Amino acid sequence: MTAQVVKPAKRCRVAALACACAIALSCGASRAQGAANPSDSTLSLKQAVTLGLQNSPDLKLAKVQYKVAVGEAGVDRAAFRPNLYTGSGAAYTYGFPSLPGGNAPALFQLDYTQSLFDPLLRAQQHAAEQRAKSMKLEIDRIQSDVIARVATTYLELADVRHSLDLLGTEQGSAEKIIQIMHERVEANQELPIEETRAQLALAEVHERMVKLDSRNEILGQQLRDLTGLPDSASLEVNQNETVTSPGLGQQSDDQVIGLAMQNDRSITEAENDRLAKQQLLRGAKLSYFPTVEIVGQYSILSKFNNYLEFYSKFQRNNVNAGLQITIPLFSAKTSANVALAKSQLEVSEVTLENKRKEIRSGVQKEQRDLREVEATRDVANWALKLAQQTLEMQQSKLQQGQATLADVEQAQLDESEKFVEFLDATFAEQRAQITLLQATGQLAQALQ
């Protein structure tokens, strides 16, 4: 009697295992086919980055601000280029013919000005040019930030969706375990606490799925906003996308720090600001010297303004041309400008030194963070392999009648959990790599 009872049980377990293996193989084949042949609607990581750069409002604003800075530098530069003005009019004069500013009233007047030597004005021009260079660097910085945000959001969204797929399988295994435990409790083969423990496991899986669903909606909307895609458009991402830079792993810590110091835009901006302050100080000191300007004027006068009463001879057409030299004898403003420029230069130098220290310590921290997440990923990888081997062992025991279907389902549940942990560790590693690539100026090369 005993042998006749055991054999059908074994056959049932073998049939259940075969069914489970068939479903797993079918799902695996479907996933592999989907990964090998992604649909046309799937958005790749590089496509997302390209769309992000095209539709970023911050990048558009930075480009407009750069144009403004270039225009300001052009305004300061215009003083050292030819400037020609003309005008006409009529004025009533009683007494000596003169207008505000000392000019004689004229029917037509043509003025020419061009500054040849004005150190303070020239220094202001150079400072404006340095500000324009800093705004160009701001465009590059915002572009790098956009790439990093798009890549991080894309990879996290892919991680969340992959985790949801695995948790769906995990939820199915948890439900099967509850059913088996319920039957065993009814048959007095298990304690009721085991069924409660299985219910708790299912509730935990459900909780994680609810949180991941919320995160999936948030990340999907963020990626649409970053790429400019409409809310109604479907958003499919490739779950196999990665960010890799072969050169990053081949570089020593000192080389990485050197690249970061060389490519950090905030340091370059601080250096440009220091150079601008140096030029302002030099211009302020040279303001003690005379300024030289080319001037010229052509005017047509009228007898209506009583020129013959004050001048022995009247001439209608008049031309004046030459150099106007202004010699400062005593200027309190010049001394104040020199003192101010010195203070501004000191602030700029201290800011630059602090920025270099900040970037160095920041890159060192990012290197340590990357090593830590790489170690965490290795642990998650080996934990996943152990869970997979345990699942294979339980399946083999089930075929031999040495394990129950509940044992196989529990092993499947553990394997899914380890897979989710491995995906999370992989995403953390990718995010740390993106941060370090951005710091060293290699991110755009890796994703464009």
Side-chain angles (χ1 to χ4, degrees):
M1 293 294 293
T2 304
Q4 292 177 357
V5 174
V6 173
K7 288 182 179 179
K10 286 185 177 180
R11 285 198 296 271
C12 290
R13 285 196 290 266
V14 172
L17 176 62
C19 181
C21 291
I23 294 174
L25 289 174
S26 176
C27 293
S30 176
R31 289 181 185 177
Q33 183 179 2
N37 300 310
S39 62
D40 295 338
S41 61
T42 300
L43 181 69
S44 68
L45 179 56
K46 290 187 176 182
Q47 289 173 341
V49 169
T50 301
L51 289 174
L53 293 175
Q54 291 175 354
N55 297 283
S56 172
D58 295 336
L59 191 57
K60 293 178 181 178
L61 177 60
K63 290 180 179 179
V64 174
Q65 290 175 338
Y66 171 66
K67 290 182 180 179
V68 172
V70 172
E72 291 175 348
V75 170
D76 293 334
R77 192 183 305 110
F80 296 92
R81 293 180 176 178
N83 295 274
L84 194 63
Y85 307 93
T86 185
S88 63
Y92 170 77
T93 59
Y94 178 76
F96 189 82
S98 177
L99 293 176
N103 291 329
L107 296 177
F108 175 81
Q109 186 168 305
L110 184 67
D111 295 322
Y112 176 89
T113 61
Q114 181 180 358
S115 181
L116 292 182
F117 182 76
D118 191 330
L120 186 59
L121 192 59
R122 180 69 76 179
Q124 292 174 354
Q125 173 203 334
H126 291 320
E129 291 172 350
Q130 294 301 324
R131 286 193 293 270
K133 290 181 180 179
S134 296
M135 291 306 303
K136 179 63 171 64
L137 293 172
E138 182 69 9
I139 294 177
D140 297 336
R141 185 189 66 79
I142 293 178
Q143 179 177 341
S144 179
D145 289 343
V146 169
I147 294 175
R149 288 202 304 269
V150 171
T152 303
T153 305
Y154 184 99
L155 293 173
E156 186 177 1
L157 180 60
D159 171 62
V160 167
R161 291 187 176 181
H162 200 168
S163 299
L164 281 172
D165 294 341
L166 293 173
L167 287 177
T169 304
E170 190 173 335
Q171 185 179 30
S173 299
E175 291 173 349
K176 290 180 182 179
I177 291 176
I178 290 176
Q179 182 180 358
I180 295 172
M181 286 301 172
H182 179 72
E183 294 175 356
R184 293 178 66 84
V185 169
E186 291 291 331
N188 293 325
Q189 296 176 346
E190 292 286 353
L191 295 175
I193 193 174
E194 296 299 332
E195 184 178 359
T196 304
R197 185 177 287 111
Q199 290 284 359
L200 175 60
L202 177 61
E204 290 174 346
V205 172
H206 178 69
E207 178 190 21
R208 294 171 65 186
M209 291 186 67
V210 170
K211 291 181 178 179
L212 286 177
D213 277 329
S214 300
R215 189 60 181 163
N216 178 44
E217 293 178 2
I218 294 173
L219 291 171
Q221 188 59 47
Q222 288 180 353
L223 189 58
R224 285 188 177 92
D225 293 340
L226 288 171
T227 57
L229 294 175
D231 295 340
S232 59
S234 61
L235 184 60
E236 299 293 333
V237 296
N238 188 354
Q239 298 179 0
N240 297 320
E241 288 277 10
T242 58
V243 178
T244 57
S245 178
L248 189 60
Q250 300 173 358
Q251 295 165 349
S252 64
D253 291 350
D254 292 338
Q255 288 176 331
V256 172
I257 293 175
L259 280 174
M261 300 289 286
Q262 179 181 353
N263 293 279
D264 188 83
R265 295 171 181 87
S266 61
I267 291 180
T268 307
E269 289 177 1
E271 291 174 344
N272 289 340
D273 183 71
R274 182 186 62 177
L275 182 58
K277 296 300 188 297
Q278 289 174 344
Q279 291 169 340
L280 287 174
L281 177 59
R282 181 175 180 272
K285 290 180 178 179
L286 290 177
S287 296
Y288 290 110
F289 294 90
T291 59
V292 181
E293 184 179 10
I294 298 177
V295 295
Q297 186 181 79
Y298 169 72
S299 59
I300 300 177
L301 306 182
S302 172
K303 294 182 179 180
F304 176 80
N305 294 109
N306 304 319
Y307 285 105
L308 290 175
E309 296 182 9
F310 299 94
Y311 297 97
S312 60
K313 182 180 179 182
F314 172 77
Q315 183 172 320
R316 179 177 296 274
N317 296 290
N318 299 269
V319 177
N320 301 290
L323 297 177
Q324 180 176 337
I325 303 175
T326 303
I327 302 174
L329 298 179
F330 175 78
S331 176
K333 186 177 180 180
T334 300
S335 300
N337 285 335
V338 171
L340 176 61
K342 286 181 179 179
S343 301
Q344 291 175 336
L345 179 58
E346 291 177 1
V347 172
S348 181
E349 289 176 344
V350 173
T351 301
L352 176 58
E353 186 63 26
N354 292 339
K355 182 64 65 175
R356 287 172 175 169
K357 293 179 181 178
E358 177 185 345
I359 297 303
R360 177 180 294 274
S361 61
V363 173
Q364 290 173 343
K365 180 181 180 300
E366 290 165 2
Q367 289 176 308
R368 291 192 298 268
D369 292 343
L370 179 57
R371 285 193 289 266
E372 289 176 3
V373 296
E374 285 176 345
T376 302
R377 183 184 179 277
D378 288 339
V379 172
N381 183 32
W382 287 110
L384 174 60
K385 289 184 178 180
L386 179 60
Q388 291 172 341
Q389 292 176 357
T390 302
L391 176 59
E392 293 175 358
M393 182 178 65
Q394 293 295 341
Q395 290 172 344
S396 177
K397 286 184 178 181
L398 179 61
Q399 290 179 343
Q400 299 172 6
Q402 299 177 1
T404 64
L405 188 58
D407 296 331
V408 175
E409 293 297 339
Q410 183 61 49
Q412 178 69 44
L413 188 66
D414 294 339
E415 191 266 349
S416 297
E417 290 180 354
K418 296 303 180 184
F419 209 147
V420 172
E421 292 176 2
F422 172 74
L423 290 177
D424 292 341
T426 301
F427 169 69
E429 181 189 25
Q430 290 281 291
R431 182 169 54 189
Q433 286 183 350
I434 289 174
T435 302
L436 194 56
L437 286 171
Q438 184 182 12
T440 57
Q442 303 177 80
L443 181 60
Q445 182 181 0
L447 291 178
Q448 286 184 304

